[in-house]
Amino acid sequence: MSLSVLVRGSGVAGLSVAAELVSRGVEVTVAEAASRPGSGASRNAGGMLAPWCEAESAPQEVVLRSAGAIDWWERFVPGVIRRGTLVVAPPRDVRELASFGSRTSGFEEVGAQAIAELEPDLAGRFAKGLFFGEEAHLDPRRSLAALVSFLERGGARIVCDCPDVPPGVFGRIVDARGLAARGVLTSLRGVRGEMLVLRCPDVSLQRPVRLLHPRIPVYIVPRADHVFMAGATMIESEHEGGITLRSMSELLGAVWTLHPAFSEAEIIETGTCLRPSWSDNVPRVTERDGVVYVNGMYRHGFLLAPDCARRAADLVCGERS
Amino acid sequence: MRFYGTELAGGLMLGTAQYPSPESLAEAVRAARADVVTVSLRRESAGGRAGEGFWSLTRDLGVPVLPNTAGCHTVREAVTTAHMAREVFETDWIKLEVIGDSDTLQPDVFGLTEAARILCEEGFRVFPYTTEDLVVAERLLSVGCEVLMPWGAPIGSGKGLNNPFGLRMMRAHFPDVPLVIDAGIGVPSHAARAMEMGYDAVLINTAVAKAGNPVTMARAFRLAVDAGRLARDAVPMEERDMASPSTPVLGKACLV
């Protein structure tokens, strides 16, 4: 009889574990407390697969564990775009580029001409930048939906409106519920993030662009059809209310700085969420009382979900043999 | 030096913002042997206790907490934030910031003196973030502040001690008031310089939090603060415009 595994939670962590398990021939049930899968923090992610840029503030472990992440996503979902990341700074903050470069690797320094070739719409706007050519990005919502359909095709069962363990006999349980698991994982905390979605027909970007600023660094990720996601704040707060005027002004100011044509953009959505985080801000896969916990994805959900999925699946499958 | 009756001998205060993670913050606080940590409430609270997760981490650092009103632009915001800080951290200490310009983060000294007056009357022990302006400093003392925290340079600029003349004058003018350099320190030599000048402490945040290795930088600041204070205690020599030969010139061969 094949192993039957329950995965609790259908954010990027839960769905990735489920997909990895299905690809290993495991029978999977996903239980989601909300009315549809993928409706938590993952939905508001940037979707940047940018380990080299993240090294600016993340520990080396994050970079190491992201190896193979882009390939993993390409295996499971369409729409992974490998065009790298461009990092620029306005003239006043150009020194931030040197500082960013000193903490990261895997980039080349680019001048005005190379920036214009990479991003024609930014021609003439920035004299210097850093180009991280190996990085990639994806659309988180489409990717989560693609994981769901992969699971359904693979025979997995997805049960929504199910905050508890659904009926059934499960050989193992994987808990990837994010902050909802803090009853057990008591040292988890939430880190508030706020983002905007804009539609701007006047601007095209080929890849995520990060605009450096000493206090308000912002990234802008292009989606299909001239839609852009701008984010994201990092606030040590568990307030779940809407985006604040200050955060929105800062994000919009940065987007405007990137290109004045954004001033005519339509703001089609604002979002806030709490990123489940451990005290070192590094995701963990742990086992306690027979349950495998995947949690604390922090701002590395899409980047480290493949690593967490493999680790969790190894734990689950290793137990079987 | 005693700050409102509490001895803070080490001369190093650390801000808690902008670290890569709470864990690296905790390690930096240990490496710096910080006397005090400052914590902001304004943006984290959203008018309630939403920042509790992070605040409880800072309470667990084992170091006295000096809550601050960072991000407040008006007297009313600062006073409200101070009230909340007293409740959250069970302390009457408050590092009072009233920001006058959101780009330079310069203190609004007019709002600052007014907020300080209100809070001192309410029994708070106010640590005001101010400029090196002596008249403003006098006013802060007259409304009840017993500590002054002049800036070295704008917050986060890392420029060091922008106006050494003004800061030296401030030290000379208020020999008995605890003085802390609050902002603008970028590297440990800036901190050493402040301590050599006779300042009682320095408050560092960005320079440690945004260093490539915050923990090592925290240790470097501890060494610098200790060195600067030892130098001050040892009474440094006075600068001279002329070289001062340590052996007499008289009697030497004069080769013209």
Side-chain angles (χ1 to χ4, degrees), chain A residues 10-168:
Chain A
S10 70
V12 66
L15 292 178
S16 300
V17 175
E20 179 73 23
L21 287 170
V22 165
S23 77
R24 296 189 191 190
V26 175
E27 186 188 315
V28 174
T29 301
V30 177
E32 166 59 48
S35 57
R36 58 193 171 124
S39 47
S42 309
R43 200 178 139 70
N44 286 343
M48 290 180 295
L49 304 174
W52 291 277
C53 280
E54 287 299 308
E56 192 247 345
S57 59
Q60 188 63 18
E61 183 186 347
V62 168
V63 182
L64 295 174
R65 284 172 58 186
S66 62
I70 300 172
D71 294 337
W72 190 96
W73 280 108
E74 272 195 330
R75 207 170 98 206
F76 288 98
V77 308
V80 176
I81 301 170
R82 292 177 182 256
R83 289 190 200 141
T85 304
L86 181 63
V87 179
V88 292
R92 200 182 77 162
D93 300 316
V94 81
R95 277 198 240 172
E96 296 294 317
L97 279 176
S99 162
F100 196 91
S102 71
R103 286 135 206 244
T104 53
S105 60
F107 62 85
E108 54 182 307
E109 292 183 15
V110 287
Q113 194 182 342
I115 292 173
E117 283 163 17
L118 287 165
E119 295 292 351
D121 277 8
L122 298 184
R125 298 201 51 74
F126 298 95
K128 281 163 87 177
L130 307 175
F131 179 54
F132 294 76
E134 298 300 310
E135 297 187 336
H137 69 284
L138 49 71
D139 181 328
R141 295 175 189 180
R142 291 185 180 191
S143 301
L144 293 174
L147 283 184
V148 168
S149 50
F150 170 84
L151 292 172
E152 285 168 347
R153 285 195 310 275
R157 191 163 63 104
I158 297 177
V159 190
C160 289
D161 296 311
C162 179
D164 300 311
V165 175

Side-chain angles (χ1 to χ4, degrees), chain B residues 1-249:
Chain B
M1 181 60 84
R2 295 175 84 78
F3 294 72
Y4 291 107
T6 300
E7 184 70 37
L8 300 174
L12 183 50
M13 304 182 175
L14 271 194
T16 56
Q18 299 182 304
Y19 283 81
S21 68
E23 191 172 280
S24 72
L25 161 66
E27 279 178 52
V29 168
R30 281 194 292 274
R33 285 184 280 117
D35 296 88
V36 164
V37 291
T38 68
V39 185
S40 74
L41 279 95
R42 170 77 185 148
R43 201 177 189 188
E44 288 71 12
S45 62
R49 309 277 298 211
E52 189 56 47
F54 184 71
W55 297 334
S56 74
L57 287 170
T58 58
R59 279 192 292 258
D60 294 343
L61 292 171
V63 176
V65 175
L66 172 59
N68 70 48
T69 64
C72 292
H73 288 250
T74 64
V75 172
R76 194 172 149 195
E77 275 179 291
V79 169
T80 309
T81 305
H83 288 162
M84 203 176 114
R86 179 156 65 182
E87 199 182 306
V88 168
F89 289 103
E90 295 173 342
T91 175
D92 51 12
W93 284 14
I94 188 74
K95 189 190 144 210
L96 183 61
E97 288 183 27
V98 182
I99 298 300
D101 182 289
S102 55
D103 199 25
T104 62
L105 302 179
Q106 269 178 266
D108 167 5
V109 295
F110 307 98
L112 178 70
T113 48
E114 175 61 7
R117 182 187 64 76
I118 295 168
L119 292 171
C120 287
E121 274 176 13
E122 292 180 357
F124 280 91
R125 314 284 179 110
V126 177
F127 294 65
Y129 163 60
T130 183
T131 67
E132 69 276 31
D133 188 295
L134 297 182
V135 181
V136 173
E138 290 280 14
R139 182 67 60 86
L140 288 166
L141 296 176
S142 75
V143 300
C145 297
E146 294 176 20
V147 174
L148 295 171
M149 302 184 78
W151 63 353
I155 294 175
S157 69
K159 293 243 176 242
L161 308 181
N162 239 354
N163 180 3
F165 167 75
L167 291 171
R168 214 177 289 121
M169 197 144 84
M170 191 172 201
R171 178 71 283 179
H173 202 81
F174 302 108
D176 302 320
V177 177
L179 296 181
V180 184
I181 297 288
D182 184 354
I185 288 190
V187 286
S189 55
H190 296 152
R193 182 99 184 90
M195 299 305 283
E196 287 163 10
M197 275 185 186
Y199 276 78
D200 298 293
V202 292
L203 194 159
I204 321 279
N205 191 343
T206 312
V208 171
K210 296 301 242 184
N213 184 333
V215 178
T216 305
M217 190 58 85
R219 190 163 162 262
F221 269 103
R222 165 46 67 200
L223 294 171
V225 166
D226 286 350
R229 206 186 22 198
L230 276 175
R232 179 197 61 204
D233 293 348
V235 188
M237 63 170 283
E238 292 297 328
E239 272 184 36
R240 292 175 215 272
D241 287 336
M242 293 294 291
S244 170
S246 51
T247 49
V249 186

Side-chain angles (χ1 to χ4, degrees), chain A residues 242-256:
Chain A
I243 188 169
T244 62
L245 188 146
R246 172 179 161 179
S247 296
M248 190 146 157
S249 314
E250 289 175 352
L251 289 173
L252 292 175
V255 175
W256 193 325

